[in-house]
Amino acid sequence: DTLGIGILFILLRLLQRCYRFRCVNRPDLAMSGEYGDPPSMKVFIRQLLDWQALVVVEKCLLGYLVVSYTDQVAFIARALLGWLDPHPEAKLVVVMVVTPLTMNCFALWVADTFLQGTAQRPSENFARELDISTPRIVGCNEKDYTELLPGDDPEREERVSFIGFQEWKRQSHKAV
């Protein structure tokens, strides 16, 4: 699984580069975990199918490597598990339970990390809300927000957009 996750990471980055080429020009598909605002089911399904195709390619590649290099894989297996030869039941538990469980948890964690969108995590939002060092305007869209300090350029004031309470509440729940 560790080698497979590395291969998947490389394949995903190659696919993302292909989507960014001028001839393809699909940056919406190149941003893994980003589905638009509002989220597009078409983009989600396309990214899901792309990921599944990459997993199939990775599994075929690993299958080819295992078949082609059977002796080397057997040598590595003997080196890692040889100490359990006197205890066949323990070896069976390690091979069938402990190793797959550990490797699958690791693979899920790593894959989830690089598949996620770039949106901020709830813990980062909470930390930002607790930060009182920078003044903020309540109910203001953060992406449009610019600090307004006395004596600043009055044209900057026009860039600040305010939202209603219901919109603020919806965005707050969406962020969490």
Side-chain angles (χ1 to χ4, degrees):
D1 272 340
T2 51
L3 180 61
I5 287 296
I7 292 170
L8 281 170
F9 180 78
I10 292 168
L11 290 173
L12 180 66
R13 292 301 181 243
L14 289 172
L15 182 66
Q16 288 172 336
R17 282 185 181 233
C18 289
Y19 281 138
R20 287 188 180 104
F21 282 147
R22 195 174 295 240
C23 61
V24 178
N25 198 22
R26 291 296 306 266
D28 55 326
L29 295 176
M31 296 183 299
S32 177
E34 298 289 331
Y35 312 116
D37 189 24
S40 168
M41 184 60 84
K42 288 180 181 180
V43 173
F44 170 76
I45 290 173
R46 179 60 189 261
Q47 287 186 12
L48 179 64
L49 293 174
D50 286 347
W51 177 251
Q52 290 174 339
L54 293 178
V55 170
V56 168
V57 169
E58 175 258 344
K59 295 296 180 192
C60 290
L61 183 60
L62 283 181
Y64 171 76
L65 290 175
V66 167
V67 170
S68 298
Y69 298 99
T70 304
D71 295 336
Q72 291 82 354
V73 172
F75 174 78
I76 293 170
R78 278 192 300 277
L80 292 175
L81 298 170
W83 61 277
L84 285 173
D85 283 342
H87 311 287
E89 292 86 8
K91 188 174 187 178
L92 182 65
V93 170
V94 168
V95 169
M96 298 299 287
V97 178
V98 175
T99 302
L101 182 65
T102 305
M103 297 304 276
N104 284 330
C105 288
F106 173 76
L108 177 66
W109 173 55
V110 172
D112 185 55
T113 301
F114 64 77
L115 285 175
Q116 288 180 24
T118 57
Q120 291 181 334
R121 316 248 187 296
S123 60
E124 292 172 357
N125 287 335
F126 183 68
R128 190 185 69 246
E129 288 172 9
L130 292 178
D131 179 25
I132 59 172
S133 63
T134 55
R136 286 189 278 285
I137 298 174
V138 176
C140 181
N141 273 333
E142 187 139 355
K143 59 185 167 193
D144 298 330
Y145 178 76
T146 20
E147 288 184 42
L148 298 176
L149 300 174
D152 274 347
D153 184 10
E155 291 179 16
R156 289 178 61 200
E157 196 167 341
E158 295 174 12
R159 285 188 274 176
V160 177
S161 65
F162 291 93
I163 58 174
F165 177 75
Q166 293 298 327
E167 178 67 18
W168 172 81
K169 189 175 175 183
R170 186 184 65 76
Q171 288 180 2
S172 295
H173 289 290
K174 187 177 173 183
V176 176

